[in-house]
């Protein structure tokens, strides 16, 4: 683990936060006007994947990735879909999770390190915790 990056990360049910090895707490805030965020996973480089919830007509969530400088990237939704969520992140910063498509089908999704999504297979229901990548 890097000395200035998370040893632990958690969600306080409103904002995703992390503690570094010195015990300093960092709150990642509410990016892009989100009403809350949840922690998904953190890689060995300290890049964090999570999910942001937005108030809109209905409930909308987006997969989010925070870089080592705590800058968020909204990974968005699939075309026509209303939600996405992050489950895991690998050493290169690629994120896996789930998302809805325009036909309301749930799919496993791989977002490459540049944030470009690839739809994998349909899922029978929204994914919870996905296996490590």
């Amino acid at each position: 683990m890097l000395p200035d990056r998370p040893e632990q990360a958690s969600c306080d049910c409103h904002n995703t936060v992390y503690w570094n090895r010195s015990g300093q707490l960092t709150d990642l805030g509410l990016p892009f006007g989100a009403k809350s965020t949840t922690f998904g996973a953190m890689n060995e480089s300290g890049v964090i994947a999570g999910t942001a919830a937005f108030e809109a007509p209905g409930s909308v969530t987006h997969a989010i990735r925070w870089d080592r400088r705590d800058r968020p990237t909204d990974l968005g939704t699939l075309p026509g879909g209303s939600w996405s969520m992050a489950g895991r992140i690998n050493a290169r910063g690629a994120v896996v999770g789930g998302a809805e498509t325009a036909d309301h089908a749930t799919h496993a999704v791989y977002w490459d390190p540049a944030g470009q999504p690839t739809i994998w297979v349909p899922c029978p229901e929204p994914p919870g915790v996905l296996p490590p990548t």
Side-chain angles (χ1 to χ4, degrees):
M1 191 62 56
L2 299 172
D4 66 337
R5 201 53 181 171
E7 169 128 354
Q8 302 177 36
S10 176
C11 173
D12 69 2
C13 299
H14 297 291
N15 296 14
T16 299
V17 299
Y18 68 84
W19 293 264
N20 67 15
R21 286 182 179 252
S22 302
Q24 178 183 357
L25 175 73
T26 298
D27 183 336
L28 294 175
L30 298 172
F32 313 111
K35 67 178 182 177
S36 67
T37 61
T38 56
F39 172 79
M42 176 182 54
N43 68 16
E44 291 180 8
S45 298
V47 179
I48 297 171
T51 303
F54 298 91
E55 287 189 26
S59 179
V60 176
T61 61
H62 287 204
I64 302 284
R65 180 179 50 222
W66 286 273
D67 68 17
R68 285 204 20 82
R69 294 189 178 156
D70 303 333
R71 295 176 302 208
T73 298
D74 184 347
L75 299 175
T77 60
L78 296 176
S82 66
W83 64 267
S84 67
M85 60 185 286
R88 298 284 187 205
I89 186 166
N90 70 13
R92 295 183 316 124
V95 174
V96 294
E100 177 187 63
T101 55
D103 62 357
H104 304 290
T106 299
H107 291 267
V109 178
Y110 167 87
W111 287 274
D112 70 21
Q116 295 302 308
T118 299
I119 298 173
W120 282 349
V121 296
C123 299
E125 57 187 54
V129 177
L130 298 175
T133 57

